[in-house]
Amino acid sequence: MGVSRTKLGVGETAELINGECIASRLRVMNRAVSRIYDEALRPYGLRIAQLNTLVVVMETGGITPNELSHRMHMDASTVSRNVERMCSNGWLELVCLDDARSHAIKMTAKGRRLLRDVRPAWDGAQEQTRKLLGKQVCKNIFRGAERIDEANT
């Protein structure tokens, strides 16, 4: 009879977690993939998280920080820091809404130009990532993201 997984020692527990932890494996993949995109975007002074923010703001035509945080599955303080940096770079701007206590994040002309200009670098990073991960893993990543979006709606 085998040892119950709940009665493993510290060494066995570490080995189990090291070998089976989904979160750990996803973080490794995320760091490796982010490194590819960040390197490709470096000549533009941009990181992949910032590019994704630009894309969401562009697609929505303007979005509140709270909506952006929810849509990108990021905590509000991270969104705030990223948006602040992107405003200082002139890529985004904050526009007061009707009640003057809240604001929307909007894309500037400079941000739109940047989004257009980075396309070839993004294409290269996208292709490099597809080769690294393979077709099936890429499909599964999209399928997993769709499930998360469905669960959060």
Side-chain angles (χ1 to χ4, degrees), residues 1 9-10 34 51 53 65 69 76 101 111 120 128-129 131 138 141 153:
M1 195 179 210
V10 174
S34 292
L51 177 60
T53 300
S69 175
R101 289 176 295 170
Q128 189 178 349
T129 301
K131 285 179 183 173
C138 290
I141 289 169
T153 53

Side-chain angles (χ1 to χ4, degrees), residues 49-61:
Q50 294 169 323
L51 177 60
N52 290 332
T53 300
L54 285 174
V55 168
V56 170
V57 172
M58 185 70 195
E59 284 183 334
T60 59

Side-chain angles (χ1 to χ4, degrees), residues 5-68:
R5 286 172 73 117
T6 58
K7 297 188 182 206
L8 293 175
V10 174
E12 293 93 355
T13 298
E15 187 177 329
L16 173 71
I17 292 171
N18 186 48
E20 297 184 23
C21 184
I22 296 164
S24 174
R25 299 302 166 109
L26 281 173
R27 290 181 69 83
V28 167
M29 287 178 66
N30 180 49
R31 286 190 291 269
V33 169
S34 292
R35 194 175 305 119
I36 292 169
Y37 285 90
D38 287 345
E39 187 61 35
L41 298 170
R42 187 178 324 262
Y44 300 92
L46 189 67
R47 297 179 64 95
I48 189 60
Q50 294 169 323
L51 177 60
N52 290 332
T53 300
L54 285 174
V55 168
V56 170
V57 172
M58 185 70 195
E59 284 183 334
T60 59
I63 190 169
T64 67
N66 192 36
E67 291 167 334
L68 181 61

Side-chain angles (χ1 to χ4, degrees), residues 78-147:
T78 302
V79 167
S80 178
R81 274 192 312 277
N82 286 347
V83 167
E84 187 177 306
R85 284 185 201 125
M86 295 172 76
C87 284
S88 348
N89 287 329
W91 304 331
L92 297 176
E93 64 183 341
L94 300 178
V95 178
C96 286
L97 297 175
D98 295 335
D99 68 5
R101 289 176 295 170
S102 57
H103 54 274
I105 304 162
K106 297 220 177 212
M107 181 86 80
T108 64
K110 185 176 179 182
R112 284 189 290 280
R113 280 191 307 275
L114 177 65
L115 188 55
R116 182 195 64 227
D117 292 347
V118 302
R119 175 66 193 274
W122 178 85
D123 284 339
Q126 188 82 342
E127 183 59 29
Q128 189 178 349
T129 301
R130 279 193 187 110
K131 285 179 183 173
L132 175 67
L133 298 179
K135 187 176 183 177
Q136 192 58 49
V137 171
C138 290
K139 279 185 180 180
N140 288 338
I141 289 169
F142 279 90
R143 202 170 297 130
E146 287 169 1
R147 290 183 69 157

